Amino acid sequence: MTVEQLAQGIRAQDRGTLARALTLVESQLPGHRQQARQLLKLLGSPAQPGQRIGVTGPPGAGKSTLIESLGLLALEKGERVGVLAIDPSSQKTGGSILGDKTRMEQLSRQPQAYVRPSPAAGALGGVARRTREAILLLEAAGYTSIWVETVGVGQSEVAVASLVDTVLLVALPGAGDDLQGMKRGLMETADVVWVNKADSERMPAARLTANQMSLALRLLPSRTAHWTAPVLQGSALERQGLDELWAKLRSHFAHLLADGGLQQMRHQQSLYWLSRGLEDRLLRNFLAQPEQAQAWHAAQARVAQGLSTPDEALDELLGG
Amino acid sequence: MTVEQLAQGIRAQDRGTLARALTLVESQLPGHRQQARQLLKLLGSPAQPGQRIGVTGPPGAGKSTLIESLGLLALEKGERVGVLAIDPSSQKTGGSILGDKTRMEQLSRQPQAYVRPSPAAGALGGVARRTREAILLLEAAGYTSIWVETVGVGQSEVAVASLVDTVLLVALPGAGDDLQGMKRGLMETADVVWVNKADSERMPAARLTANQMSLALRLLPSRTAHWTAPVLQGSALERQGLDELWAKLRSHFAHLLADGGLQQMRHQQSLYWLSRGLEDRLLRNFLAQPEQAQAWHAAQARVAQGLSTPDEALDELLGG
């Protein structure tokens, strides 16, 4: 299949071609990279930007269930829904976690929805690139509501905040100490917070958590200028409170569109990934030399044992 | 002066020699770097680790006044006090900000205190290295209580958290919205929080702020394992509440010493700076080639204007 045929199939919203193209951007082979570049160039950007929503939160918060429920709701509102998962951790755990997590059976059966059945796992830099390119492919295929679920335990939340327009943090009802399980910076990257599993029994706990989080959020700098993250509660499983949540997600996007913040944010994200990408590639090229990789591991061991300061080790490695 | 003479003078706690050595580690000249490396190797580590305290907080919170007051208190407790400032911003602003900020006249007149009268300004990587080496020099000169003030508006808070044992966050009395001025992650890198300028008039506001911050801190992950950051209030200028603050800072250090967390934290910090250092140097070496620097700036411009994706630009820059 030529790159032109791929582009044509994607624009025609052919699912099989889209799947092929997604596999292509996941490949590291130089030939594939070149084809992927050509394909993305051919496809360009959609005339109307769709909303890219990242979903973060601790394991077990119900992120997949929420995406499925919200995705079905988005379909009712006339959106076309694409779902990706991002997992910057080892290939091994990435696969097994996903088995449980992102099946979303109901949503994936819908003709206007596309759920990518494997996460972008691996090192952060590569994962971010593949996710970024997958977003562009989904948008070219006419998906207007793109969801990126964070699966990994690594830096996926920080990464996803640099890949999407709106960050939805999913939390669980529970008193203060339970939230300590959250990773650093999670609250500060949230645009909308959802306290999930707030069914009748857990409603009092959910309300308490929501109040505490509102308070904390007021004290923290917000991700989006002139936007204070609202905290909502409900149940994704019982589909309670989802209309209000959907409205908040849309009003965040409207806020970004209204003051020109969307294009600015996306450009800043691109510049961020450009810098990160250069650092990543220079490091990869350096470590591609076996003797340099060996010297690097020796330097790390010396520093870990307190035998060298970081700067001594670097001076020895690269010359002072 | 030979490296051996420098080491001897530092161990003999000679202030002039210490000043010379501090200037040496600030130099970028290859010959100086080599001498600095030799000197640090000769000096080694002190038998008993001293406490390294970083002081963060928004501009105008009174960080310098607090360090001066706490420094004088530490002298009374038998400590020898060294003070550094870190400013990862432009050389220009660094100098002028400092003029106001870190004079600490009373403290610097004390024979058992040493206030380094210029900040480590410049790019983050270099600043961190110089600050790290300056800490080691002060410790070799017998200073047991090392204070690092964050002066810059850049990433100094994140950097300082990777350089010290204890992070003291200084805040001002004021309702929720005022704290929005704080940078991202500031709360989460705090081990002890001090609401400053809580004199009689501002006491109610200070109490409110302290309560809100306590609540927020309980919701956020803590910097030190098994440690919840206490929030205290008082006035550095009127020397109110400082005994309690000093006791909290010391008990944080005792907590680190008790469970072996101190060595572990310092080794992790070293590994962090080793990785950051390698990335920084590879980038510097890459950009040292004029034609590569030029291509890089062109790539940034294309990405900023939306003409290339970050990955296209990188592929063109480095080969796909």
Side-chain angles (χ1 to χ4, degrees), chain A residues 78-98:
Chain A
E79 304 280 339
R80 296 187 73 233
V81 174
V83 181
L84 302 166
I86 179 169
D87 179 8
S89 56
S90 78
Q91 299 276 0
K92 239 187 333 196
T93 59
S96 66
I97 289 175
L98 183 80

Side-chain angles (χ1 to χ4, degrees), chain A residues 187-220:
Chain A
M187 296 270 282
E188 284 157 282
T189 54
D191 293 310
V192 178
V193 178
W194 170 256
V195 183
N196 199 17
K197 304 190 184 176
D199 47 30
S200 52
E201 204 177 305
R202 275 172 287 194
M203 192 54 91
R207 209 166 281 149
L208 189 66
T209 301
N211 285 342
Q212 289 183 328
M213 292 188 87
S214 292
L215 245 171
L217 281 163
R218 270 199 285 141
L219 292 172
L220 294 168

Side-chain angles (χ1 to χ4, degrees), chain A residues 37 132 185 188 311 315, chain B residues 37 132 185 188 223 311 315:
Chain A
R37 273 203 301 283
R132 257 190 335 269
E188 284 157 282
D311 310 293
D315 287 340
Chain B
R37 276 203 298 282
R132 258 190 335 267
E188 284 157 283
R223 177 176 178 264
D311 309 293
D315 287 340

Side-chain angles (χ1 to χ4, degrees), chain A residues 184, chain B residues 56 157-158 161 166-169 185-192 221 223:
Chain A
R184 276 181 186 237
Chain B
T56 64
E157 279 82 8
V158 180
T166 303
V167 176
L168 168 60
L169 168 61
L186 213 53
M187 296 271 282
E188 284 157 283
T189 54
D191 294 310
V192 178
R223 177 176 178 264

Side-chain angles (χ1 to χ4, degrees), chain A:
Chain A
M1 216 177 212
T2 67
V3 169
E4 284 75 18
Q5 286 170 323
L6 280 174
Q8 209 173 2
I10 289 169
R11 286 209 199 91
Q13 310 189 345
D14 178 68
R15 298 172 78 93
T17 310
L18 177 60
R20 256 175 118 132
L22 287 166
T23 305
L24 178 68
V25 301
E26 284 175 6
S27 168
Q28 300 277 17
L29 295 178
H32 289 168
R33 291 296 312 129
Q34 209 185 337
Q35 285 182 300
R37 273 203 301 283
Q38 286 173 354
L39 176 61
L40 290 165
K41 205 153 214 157
L42 265 180
L43 290 171
S45 306
Q48 293 291 324
Q51 186 174 14
R52 305 167 181 173
I53 304 172
V55 183
T56 65
K63 296 190 285 291
S64 299
T65 309
L66 182 62
I67 293 176
E68 176 152 47
S69 298
L70 283 172
L72 291 167
L73 187 64
L75 291 175
E76 287 173 26
K77 309 277 180 190
E79 304 280 339
R80 296 187 73 233
V81 174
V83 181
L84 302 166
I86 179 169
D87 179 8
S89 56
S90 78
Q91 299 276 0
K92 239 187 333 196
T93 59
S96 66
I97 289 175
L98 183 80
D100 297 319
K101 285 234 167 181
T102 44
R103 240 172 291 158
M104 303 182 194
E105 288 184 13
Q106 259 192 286
L107 185 61
S108 25
R109 279 199 299 268
Q110 306 299 317
Q112 302 301 315
Y114 189 91
V115 180
R116 177 67 176 166
S118 76
L124 185 60
V127 163
R129 178 187 62 71
R130 279 174 273 162
T131 307
R132 257 190 335 269
E133 293 182 348
I135 289 172
L136 298 175
L137 291 180
L138 287 172
E139 289 178 344
Y143 294 96
T144 53
S145 184
I146 312 286
W147 300 75
V148 182
E149 180 184 5
T150 57
V151 175
V153 288
Q155 295 178 271
S156 50
E157 279 83 7
V158 180
V160 90
S162 301
L163 290 169
V164 301
D165 308 320
T166 303
V167 176
L168 168 61
L169 169 61
V170 186
L172 283 174
D177 284 352
D178 294 338
L179 293 177
Q180 287 276 344
M182 278 200 196
K183 286 163 230 165
R184 276 181 186 237
L186 213 51
M187 296 270 282
E188 284 157 282
T189 54
D191 293 310
V192 178
V193 178
W194 170 256
V195 183
N196 199 17
K197 304 190 184 176
D199 47 30
S200 52
E201 204 177 305
R202 275 172 287 194
M203 192 54 91
R207 209 166 281 149
L208 189 66
T209 301
N211 285 342
Q212 289 183 328
M213 292 188 87
S214 292
L215 245 171
L217 281 163
R218 270 199 285 141
L219 292 172
L220 294 168
S222 60
R223 177 176 178 266
T224 306
H226 311 117
W227 175 268
T228 304
V231 182
L232 292 88
Q233 51 195 296
S235 164
L237 200 64
E238 302 181 7
R239 311 225 168 138
Q240 278 171 7
L242 293 179
D243 279 309
E244 204 191 338
L245 175 55
W246 172 255
K248 285 289 180 200
L249 292 170
R250 292 306 291 170
S251 68
H252 180 259
F253 193 58
H255 172 80
L256 287 177
L257 283 173
D259 70 349
L262 184 73
Q263 278 317 313
Q264 204 191 333
M265 176 190 268
R266 288 187 176 183
H267 285 162
Q268 278 175 358
Q269 290 175 336
S270 293
L271 283 172
Y272 169 78
W273 288 110
L274 181 67
S275 289
R276 279 296 307 259
L278 181 61
E279 285 172 4
D280 283 357
R281 292 205 197 187
L282 291 174
L283 187 61
R284 213 163 59 200
N285 290 348
F286 180 80
L287 297 177
Q289 307 293 326
E291 68 277 17
Q292 287 179 340
Q294 210 178 343
W296 172 242
H297 293 305
Q300 286 179 307
R302 278 201 310 282
V303 167
Q305 292 164 52
L307 299 174
S308 295
T309 68
D311 310 293
E312 279 169 15
L314 285 171
D315 287 340
E316 283 166 32
L317 197 65
L318 296 167

